Amino acid sequence: QVQLVESGGGLVQPGGSLRLSCAASGSIFSINDMGWYRQAPGKQRELVAVITNGGRANYADSVKGRFTISRVNAKNTVYLQMNSLKPEDTAVYYCNAQPFDVNAAGYVEVWGQGTLVTVSS
């Protein structure tokens, strides 16, 4: 079974930066896409950014030019560098990964526990 552990959330002022990390552990053979989602109070969970195992990234329009997703396949880790943060970026950020599951004979979806990012002065 694969587990995801996030870190790096916290309180930051508008215009500031934070870097989130998410490390996958367990019985890992390969991981397809890795990504970050967020859920603000009273809103649905939404995609922030996703990156393939080949390094191709896609972003939500609301974060383009401000956030950068990256991954280190050898460490099974994905990062989210967040710059020029705005109050509307406040949310719980969840890591998502698609590891290959031998028992399922296919890729499955795994979620982290979430890390809170608060942007406020």
Side-chain angles (χ1 to χ4, degrees):
Q1 217 171 14
V2 175
Q3 298 84 38
L4 302 178
V5 177
E6 301 125 331
S7 60
L11 173 65
V12 63
Q13 292 187 342
S17 298
L18 279 177
R19 188 191 194 210
L20 305 183
S21 300
C22 172
S25 63
S27 300
I28 299 172
F29 293 90
S30 68
I31 301 178
N32 196 6
D33 292 352
M34 300 185 80
W36 292 93
Y37 290 70
R38 67 185 181 187
Q39 187 167 18
K43 294 187 177 181
Q44 289 189 330
R45 190 173 298 188
E46 63 176 3
L47 173 69
V48 176
V50 63
I51 186 168
T52 68
N53 56 14
R56 186 172 71 247
N58 283 297
Y59 299 89
D61 288 343
S62 59
V63 307
K64 282 181 181 177
R66 300 188 298 121
F67 291 10
T68 302
I69 189 171
S70 61
R71 67 189 281 179
V72 178
N73 291 334
K75 294 184 178 181
N76 296 314
T77 300
V78 63
Y79 305 94
L80 185 68
Q81 177 66 44
M82 305 184 292
N83 299 328
S84 302
L85 282 160
K86 304 174 181 180
E88 50 264 43
D89 294 318
T90 295
V92 177
Y93 283 70
Y94 295 91
C95 178
N96 173 275
Q98 299 174 358
F100 185 83
D101 186 295
V102 174
N103 293 328
Y107 288 93
V108 297
E109 195 165 45
V110 179
W111 292 90
Q113 80 285 357
T115 184
L116 178 62
V117 172
T118 303
V119 184
S120 175
S121 55

